[in-house]
Amino acid sequence: MAEIIGGITTSHIPAIGRAIAEGQQEAPYWKPFFDGFPPVHAWLEDKKPDVAIVVYNDHGLNFFQDNLPTFALGMAPYYQNEDEGWGLKPLAPFPGHPELSAHIANSLVEDEFDISICQEMAVDHGFTVPMSLLWPERWQPEIKTIPLMVNVVQHPMPTPARCLKLGQALGHAVASFPDNLKVVVLGTGGMSHQLDGQRAGFINRDFDLKCMEQIVEAPEKLAELSNLDLVREAGSQGPELILWLVMRGALGTKVKKLHSNYHAPVSNTGSGLLLLEPS
Ligand code: DHB
Ligand code: FE
């Protein structure tokens, strides 16, 4: 049977992709951020998951505002990264796992999550930056990926509570896949940030740190917030945090925190890293 062996949260800020491409990890600006990652790399090297389910948000590359599903699951043999601006050079395609995707799609729809299913899907920095952070230089080229896209760019967005439930349904889906597979779930994006408008540059460190605690110990408490609460407390792009709740739901009731790191600002954003195991 397939098993979810862990959950990881990471930022997806495009500037991180630039820093990786330029080898800036030791530069004074970047070092405190990249120094958070070695324990997570060591865990991944030890566990060698077969599949990463990447819960992410598209920022206008594969979906635009005229045609934007609330939830969309990739079911492709590979996922292409394309030029989306931000000065990032497109990366080589990421291999998929269509059989597990098909199983998850069936199981989610049975569980009343009527997701869109994409047999082709281009992935942007929301997906590629976390992958580059966790698998630098593609050190585990055999790892398969499944993108699970959640709309956090245009209202109405799914509620935090709905995202926690989607994660629970995702957990059931993976656990009922017959092949032996080790699966890691990535909750990407966040934390507080606002990229435009009067509060551009807004970061709420206290709120971010509180979320990093609650997502571990009391995700249902965090899920009581509305997206408007998240905008107020964490800026107009703060709702990216609901992606973390999908990951957290998939891990089950109790989790063990193995590692965490918070650094702000990175570009315009508070960046939170967590490594969790189901317990
Ligand atoms: C930044 C953050 C994001 O979430 C994003 O999608 C783009 C840019 C930033 O802080 O620069
Ligand atoms: Fe973003």
Side-chain angles (χ1 to χ4, degrees):
M1 300 295 259
E3 186 193 359
I4 293 179
I5 60 164
I8 302 172
T9 69
T10 73
S11 177
H12 69 212
I13 301 161
I16 297 167
R18 277 276 284 278
I20 293 172
E22 292 169 2
Q24 295 277 334
Q25 290 89 336
E26 293 295 315
Y29 181 84
W30 288 108
K31 192 168 163 45
F33 169 75
F34 284 101
D35 277 355
F37 283 83
V40 182
H41 292 152
W43 183 87
L44 285 169
E45 277 171 41
D46 179 39
K47 303 287 179 189
K48 292 214 172 46
D50 303 294
V51 182
I53 298 176
V54 186
V55 185
Y56 83 110
N57 69 296
D58 184 271
H59 298 74
L61 180 74
N62 193 79
F63 304 104
F64 202 63
Q65 284 162 308
D66 59 338
N67 191 348
L68 179 58
T70 300
F71 301 121
L73 183 76
M75 200 163 76
Y78 63 85
Y79 301 98
Q80 197 82 38
N81 174 221
E82 292 171 7
D83 186 1
E84 49 159 318
W86 299 109
L88 294 170
K89 247 172 77 180
L91 303 175
F94 292 81
H97 196 306
E99 298 79 15
L100 179 57
S101 288
H103 175 84
I104 292 171
N106 278 306
S107 183
L108 288 182
V109 173
E110 290 275 314
D111 261 342
E112 302 178 2
F113 280 95
D114 306 320
I115 41 151
S116 299
I117 296 164
C118 302
Q119 301 192 18
E120 275 182 29
M121 199 171 187
V123 288
D124 70 10
H125 66 274
F127 176 103
T128 61
V129 167
M131 287 303 296
S132 301
L133 273 168
L134 298 175
W135 284 271
E137 316 274 330
R138 301 265 175 117
W139 62 265
Q140 195 192 350
E142 69 280 11
I143 183 121
K144 305 281 199 289
T145 58
I146 298 181
L148 174 53
M149 195 290 305
V150 177
N151 165 34
V152 296
V153 299
Q154 177 167 264
H155 296 276
M157 301 163 183
T159 63
R162 184 79 176 141
C163 289
L164 186 65
K165 284 189 192 145
L166 172 65
Q168 289 159 353
L170 176 66
H172 297 147
V174 172
S176 58
F177 188 65
D179 294 3
N180 286 330
L181 286 178
K182 288 183 284 183
V183 176
V184 66
V185 183
L186 312 187
T188 64
M191 300 187 78
S192 58
H193 60 307
Q194 170 143 350
L195 299 180
D196 47 24
Q198 281 187 351
R199 288 202 302 169
F202 175 77
I203 289 179
N204 188 343
R205 190 187 175 91
D206 292 342
F207 181 76
D208 287 348
L209 293 173
K210 194 174 102 195
C211 290
M212 286 185 76
E213 272 176 33
Q214 279 196 343
I215 192 110
V216 179
E217 298 296 339
E220 48 306 306
K221 186 97 195 113
L222 196 55
E224 284 171 11
L225 297 178
S226 67
N227 280 315
L228 229 55
D229 293 330
L230 287 175
V231 169
R232 194 181 309 109
E233 296 291 338
S236 53
Q237 277 75 41
E240 285 184 356
L241 193 76
I242 62 179
L243 307 167
W244 291 29
L245 279 166
V246 180
M247 175 285 294
R248 181 60 186 82
L251 260 62
T253 330
K254 288 257 172 274
V255 294
K256 195 161 63 174
K257 181 169 82 179
L258 301 186
H259 177 67
S260 78
N261 188 53
Y262 179 81
H263 183 61
V266 178
S267 187
N268 296 292
T269 301
S271 164
L273 173 65
L274 281 172
L275 170 59
L276 308 176
E277 273 183 356
S279 69

